[in-house]
Amino acid sequence: MCSKLSLIKINFIVSFILLFSLELSAQSYNFTNYSLKDGLPQSQVMVIYQAKDRTLWLGTFGGVSNFDGRLFTSYSKADGLGSNSVNCIAEDNRSQMLFGTETGISILKRGKISTLFSGKGVSHLLKDKHGVIWGISEYKLFKIEKDKIVFYSIARKKIHTINSDSAGNLYAAVSEKGIYQLKNNNWTIYQELPPAINTLSIRKILFDKILRNKAYLLTDHGGIYVLENSIVKPFFKKEGIDTYYSIAQDHRGNMWVGSEKGAYFINKNGAIINFNGENGLSDNQVNEIFSDAENNIWISCFSDGIYKYEGDAFIRYNKFKGKNLAYPISGIAADKNDNLWFGTFNKGVFKYDGKDVQSIDIPAFKDKKIYFVYADKAKNIWFSTYGKGIWKYDGQKFSQVLKPDKFDNSSIAEDEAGGIWINGLMSSSYLKGGKTERISGFDGYLSCIYPLGKDSVFLGTSNGVTLIKNKKIDKTFRIKSLTNVYVLSIIRQGDNLIFATLGDGIITWNLKTKAIKRYVVANGLNSNDIYSLATDKNNNLWAGTGRGINKLTFNKQQQNYEVFRDHPLIVECNQNAIINYKNSILVGTIDGLIQCKTNVLAEDKKNPFIHIQQVSVFHKNDRAKDLSIDLNGRGDKFYKLNYSQNHISISFKGVYLTNPESVLYRYKLVGVDNDFSKPVPNTEIEYSAIRPGSYTFQVYAIANGQQSNIEQFSFTIVPPYYDTIIFKIGAFLVLIFLIWLIFYLIFKTRERKKHQFEKLKLKEQEKIRKQTAEDFHDDIGNKLTRINVLSEILDKKVAGTEKEQKELIRLIRENASLLYTGTKDILWALDPHSDNLFEILMHIKNFGIDLFQNTGVTFKMEGVLSKYQKLHLSMEFNRNLTLIFKEMLNNVLKHAKASQVLIMVIETDDDTVNILTTDDGEGFDIETVQKGRGLNNIQTRCKRIKSTFQISSIKGKGTTTTISTRIPVTK
């Protein structure tokens, strides 16, 4: 509700309750009703069942409905249900819902209903500890095996009801026999019942949640019996009640009984409360009472839908002696005699003295709007009345303190000096010692007052907080976080100033550290609109909000407030209508007074529960390939998706029946998001254009500051073949190979061209050599032959006596012959046909034969093979090797004095050729002999043709030389 500033600026509603007493029966307990107007398909709920996902299934005469705390999703005959009259509900191990109706069993799987069994009515369905579904049809017991009904008989008697204990063992109430238990697939007697009870129809067996071997038997007309340690005795029967319909036990061990006239609460200590139309429930018959997994109690009332019991932490007081006094309250105060004073909207002022309620019958209050009721330190009561100014009651009489002004006054407070501060809409008045001072010039409209110290006063406005020091506005003071914030109430707790705001939650400001903290719905508050604040004797903070009352406790270690987990009473509170009174917090609302117990123990509440409902996968190109994944409790399964299925939508639901409106969600996609999102109300999230990879979607719910389980869905988007690691490695290797191949081909092309060029060059050289040899032979050879012929003619013409001339002619002939012989060597070298090892060796052999002819030296050459013709050598190699052996053989002829010379050509194991030259001459000492020019030339020429030269000689035993060539031999 908005603040009480002005009828012009604010839509102000004040509230009242006429009666308050902690002892009297004027209290109304906190029940929340859900009926047709909320979406329930039919108002008569016969069965309540809670599924694994924490949602409630409600069987009615108009079909079955699923309730998640907010919405009803209903099914009827039009959806495939066998009958609209649903008697019982169960869930199997495959998360399929089974509904027992007047005509059989219907089953809901994957959103569609089909018939499992038809023809007979089913009154009970129950799952045992092995997951087997049992039931009763026309007083006959059956179980479901492989989707077929198999009937069982127990003592050939009627079966009235079945139930299981906390261990999951199954029990059946058998007419005229007693209680039977299922053991090892056999039904055996568990407890025989006295004849007086056996004749009664046992409607329900309930096993105690706390004590083992204790059970309750609910009969139609005989009340309730307790079975403990094999002894049966009466437990509850109320005079005037004919029929009993239901029984339940809450988490504290208290019992609940549904009758034809409301419900009965039986405290474990024996105290009994009848919940009916007088105190919050209904006078109609209670068909079913159910305790859910969050320890809420649900009550089904005939023609009234269902009620949720919100506990006794909050109690409404809105009736007195049968009169409805649920008026809005504008202010509450207690005088020196502990009398309570209430201001109301359009009903004036009332006083409650603990026995009776009195309407203050003076003209200033009669049926007037009261803006505030306030008690000062002396317990004088102050009132602000619409159009009548400010009034004060000193315990004896009422007197007017301030006359009516242009705008009515909305808030009041007393400072340490005993001065009274009263806020109007645009100005504040200060009253002390019979004098009145007025202060104006505020930024925003005034809303509340809080004196701090001897000379400081905080004023809450529509634009933050203003500080007044020594009756003057401090223009330099500013709390930045409160700028443009509508402050409705201010109190102090310890070092913290606490501000109640409109839409911004609770803001705390530490007077020492100046630290600011904010508390909103995400922290557990019922609403971000905070209208009133108060503290109790236990130093808890109480906040009246736009959606109920919150209790907050201060955590000294973390230096912050934590929202207490209590029942969410959905009611709109009023501004500053709150006081701490006799160990209770009294809060004024638009519908009466609420008592908040300050010593209520924390409820054993479970956290919210969340599950992923469905995952929709959209194909990038082909909508026909879109698919929907129904997880059905298999959220831990890993799914593989095609790279084109990279757009997904995930829907989830958090169930918190205690306070469904407070449920928010935080989610993240591991692999995309670094952290969970901020709390959001969305129940569906979409991700598009997801890159290939492995991901896990995680989501959890928060409600009242408490966190649910984390539900997750894991999937992998398989990359296209061209985006896989193997393909990339293969492509990289192929690229490297192609680069290598290109360079290889370029290199080979260059080599081939070079080879072809060399080949052409060699052919050209061969052609030139051949042409040169021919030209040389034709030209030089003919001229040398002519010289020989002319010298012979000249020799014949010169007389024999001319010895000198004869000698000259002989020398000419001899040199011409030598020149001709040398010319033949040149011509042989120039001829391309000589460029192979065979021709070289034959040339050396012929040279040796010619050299040692007629010298008395025997010359031989061995190992010259015809295959050496294939071993082509360069002209340079030919010339040098030929000159080496000419030099070497001439040295043998001149110096060795040998009678035999042998040249041997030997192939080595390394496929190379060694040429050995041996003679049987005188030999010499290698160490002492002085090497001549000939040996040096031989060694130099060997290096040129990349060959080695070795010589060994012994005096008197001849000399051996070895030339090791590096010419490879092809075999």
Side-chain angles (χ1 to χ4, degrees), residues 901-914:
V901 176
L902 175 63
I903 297 177
M904 291 186 293
V905 181
I906 303 172
E907 292 183 15
T908 69
D909 293 337
D910 296 329
D911 295 334
T912 58
V913 175
N914 288 346

Side-chain angles (χ1 to χ4, degrees), residues 97 121 150 217 347 399 597 731 763 843 854 888 924:
M97 301 304 303
V150 179
L217 307 178
K347 294 295 180 180
S399 59
K597 295 183 178 180
K763 286 183 179 181
H843 186 71
N854 301 322
M888 194 161 50
F924 57 89

Side-chain angles (χ1 to χ4, degrees), residues 16-27 315-320 325 329 332-334 338-342 350-358 579-587 592-596:
F16 167 68
I17 185 171
L18 208 56
L19 169 66
F20 171 76
S21 171
L22 300 182
E23 291 84 17
L24 297 181
S25 60
Q27 61 196 41
I315 299 178
R316 299 172 188 260
Y317 290 86
N318 51 19
K319 287 183 180 290
F320 183 71
L325 301 174
I329 295 177
I332 315 169
D338 280 338
N339 299 315
L340 285 175
W341 296 77
F342 305 99
F350 290 84
K351 173 186 173 184
Y352 176 63
D353 61 5
K355 296 179 181 180
D356 201 357
V357 172
Q358 302 176 24
I579 65 168
N580 186 348
Y581 179 76
K582 291 186 177 180
N583 298 325
S584 290
I585 297 294
L586 304 182
V587 182
L593 185 71
I594 302 296
Q595 175 200 357
C596 308

Side-chain angles (χ1 to χ4, degrees), residues 63 199 324 368 440 618 843 869 962:
T199 58
N324 181 17
K368 295 293 189 214
S440 59
F618 304 100
H843 186 71
Q869 290 178 345
T962 303

Side-chain angles (χ1 to χ4, degrees), residues 4-32:
K4 301 168 285 188
L5 299 182
S6 155
L7 291 177
I8 298 174
K9 295 294 181 180
I10 306 298
N11 181 18
F12 167 69
I13 300 177
V14 262
S15 55
F16 167 68
I17 185 171
L18 208 56
L19 169 66
F20 171 76
S21 171
L22 300 182
E23 291 84 17
L24 297 181
S25 60
Q27 61 196 41
S28 178
Y29 293 92
N30 192 18
F31 290 89
T32 300

Side-chain angles (χ1 to χ4, degrees), residues 358-489:
Q358 302 176 24
S359 175
I360 306 303
D361 191 13
I362 64 173
F365 297 160
K366 186 68 174 179
D367 294 329
K368 295 293 189 214
K369 299 173 185 175
I370 307 300
Y371 289 108
F372 65 69
V373 179
Y374 175 76
D376 61 22
K377 295 176 183 177
K379 295 295 184 180
N380 300 310
I381 307 299
W382 297 71
F383 308 91
S384 173
T385 307
Y386 174 65
K388 297 297 181 179
I390 303 298
W391 291 72
K392 174 182 175 183
Y393 176 69
D394 61 5
Q396 301 294 327
K397 65 181 186 302
F398 291 91
S399 59
Q400 188 180 43
V401 179
L402 288 178
K403 292 183 178 181
D405 201 351
K406 181 179 180 181
F407 300 109
D408 290 294
N409 299 289
S410 60
S411 55
I412 183 172
E414 182 180 8
D415 62 19
E416 290 186 2
I420 299 294
W421 291 83
I422 302 175
N423 276 354
L425 184 65
M426 308 289 291
S427 64
S428 183
S429 298
Y430 181 68
L431 285 66
K432 186 177 180 185
K435 297 181 179 180
T436 301
E437 296 181 53
R438 178 165 291 189
I439 303 169
S440 59
F442 300 102
D443 184 13
Y445 303 108
L446 300 182
S447 174
C448 58
I449 311 171
Y450 185 78
L452 182 69
K454 294 181 179 180
D455 57 359
S456 298
V457 176
F458 282 99
L459 298 182
T461 75
S462 59
N463 192 31
V465 174
T466 298
L467 175 63
I468 296 180
K469 297 188 75 173
N470 297 316
K471 315 299 185 303
K472 293 183 180 180
I473 298 174
D474 186 350
K475 299 289 186 180
T476 64
F477 178 80
R478 183 186 179 195
I479 301 177
K480 186 176 180 181
S481 297
L482 291 173
T483 303
N484 297 323
V485 173
Y486 206 136
V487 178
L488 299 180
S489 181

Side-chain angles (χ1 to χ4, degrees), residues 607-625:
N607 292 342
F609 180 83
I610 193 172
H611 69 284
I612 298 176
Q613 293 178 299
Q614 184 172 298
V615 177
S616 298
V617 181
F618 304 100
H619 196 276
K620 183 165 56 177
N621 303 316
D622 189 355
R623 290 297 174 224
K625 294 182 180 179

